[in-house]
């Protein structure tokens, strides 16, 4: 998939363009993208520019959004560098300059609640009224009787309900981070871990122990503050990659969260913790073996 910034996007009449923020690239977003050869999105999230104090934590940074969209067979991702100047453009200008003139859209697909242009005056009905292209408006998607939305998925992930979040996403919740050096506590306990510091701008799973895939390996992942040792280092994501040997320091590690095994707990001794960790690893391994391996190799 080709990735370009809007100013560099080549003019090509006849594009089938899906437009949206696509945070999470969940099942609803995928329905909008279905059949498109070009996806048009925004970075950073428009709310982070227009009203930063109200900006939600993101489900996906651009790197993960890019890879998920590429996995849908899209040919081209066009990214609009969203700033205050772009936010001031009218809905008419967005349609005429961006969609019709620059991209040469023949078909445009959006979700039914998509809004755009200064003051969010543009909507699906406005797009339908335009003669420059055909417009496909996708209704909200439901799973098990519940409407799929980024805010709902965000709440599920934050509360640790990653399995249910995955049902609405259409795949595991993914998280990227640079592997940092830690206090080597895992090595001392016989469970070496790759440690990530959560990005405060992004959603992080609630404190607990999870089964996951990471770097192509099944993994037992701890998210929390390690209460047994009172390290005082704040929230840390510690991934024990089962069967992996090597050094990942400085690399970007992608973790695909499958299921929460248990909550975070303080143990009375290191021995009791090690016993529980061994149980966690075995349970995580069993869950991963029963799950199709998702792609967990970050592209950088």
């Amino acid at each position: 998939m080709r990735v370009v910034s809007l100013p560099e996007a080549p003019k090509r009449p006849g594009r089938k363009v899906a437009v949206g923020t696509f945070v999470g690239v969940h099942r609803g977003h995928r329905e909008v993208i279905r059949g498109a050869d070009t996806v048009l999105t925004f970075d950073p999230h428009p709310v982070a520019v227009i009203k930063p104090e109200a900006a939600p934590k993101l489900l996906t940074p651009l790197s993960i959004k890019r890879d998920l969209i590429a996995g849908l067979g899209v040919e081209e991702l066009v990214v609009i560098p969203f700033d205050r100047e772009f936010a001031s453009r009218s809905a008419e200008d967005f349609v005429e300059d961006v969609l019709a003139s620059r991209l040469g859209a023949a078909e445009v697909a959006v979700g039914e609640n998509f809004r755009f242009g200064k003051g969010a005056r543009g909507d699906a009905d406005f797009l339908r009224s335009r003669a420059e292209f055909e417009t496909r408006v996708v209704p909200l998607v439901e799973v098990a009787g519940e409407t799929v939305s980024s805010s709902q998925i965000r709440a599920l992930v934050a509360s640790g309900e990653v399995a249910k979040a995955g049902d609405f996403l259409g795949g595991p919740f993914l998280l990227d981070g640079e592997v940092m050096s830690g206090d080597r506590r895992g090595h001392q306990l016989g469970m070496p871990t790759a440690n990530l510091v959560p990005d405060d701008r992004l959603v992080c799973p609630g404190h607990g122990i999870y089964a996951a895939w990471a770097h192509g390996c099944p993994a037992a992942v701890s998210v929390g503050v390690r209460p047994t040792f009172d390290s005082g280092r704040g929230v840390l994501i510690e991934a024990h990659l089962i069967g992996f040997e090597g050094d990942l320091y400085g690399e970007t590690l992608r973790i695909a969260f499958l299921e929460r095994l248990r909550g975070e707990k303080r143990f009375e001794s290191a021995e009791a913790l090690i016993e529980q960790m061994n149980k966690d690893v075995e349970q995580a391994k069993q869950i991963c073996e029963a799950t199709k391996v998702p792609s967990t190799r970050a592209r950088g």
Side-chain angles (χ1 to χ4, degrees), residues 64-112:
I64 290 178
K65 183 196 295 190
R66 173 201 66 201
D67 292 350
L68 290 172
I69 290 173
L72 300 177
V74 172
E75 297 174 12
E76 176 184 53
L77 176 63
V78 178
V79 181
I80 293 175
F82 197 87
D83 54 20
R84 287 196 172 275
E85 180 181 356
F86 195 91
S88 69
R89 302 178 71 168
S90 67
E92 290 83 358
D93 184 54
F94 179 76
V95 167
E96 294 168 6
D97 180 49
V98 177
L99 294 178
S101 179
R102 294 198 190 190
L103 296 183
E107 297 180 18
V108 172
V110 296
E112 68 174 48

Side-chain angles (χ1 to χ4, degrees), residues 156-160 162 173 175 203-208 210 223-224 235 237 257:
L156 288 170
V157 172
S159 65
V162 295
F173 170 71
L175 181 148
V203 175
C204 180
H207 293 192
Y210 297 85
V223 179
V235 177
I237 300 169
F257 289 83

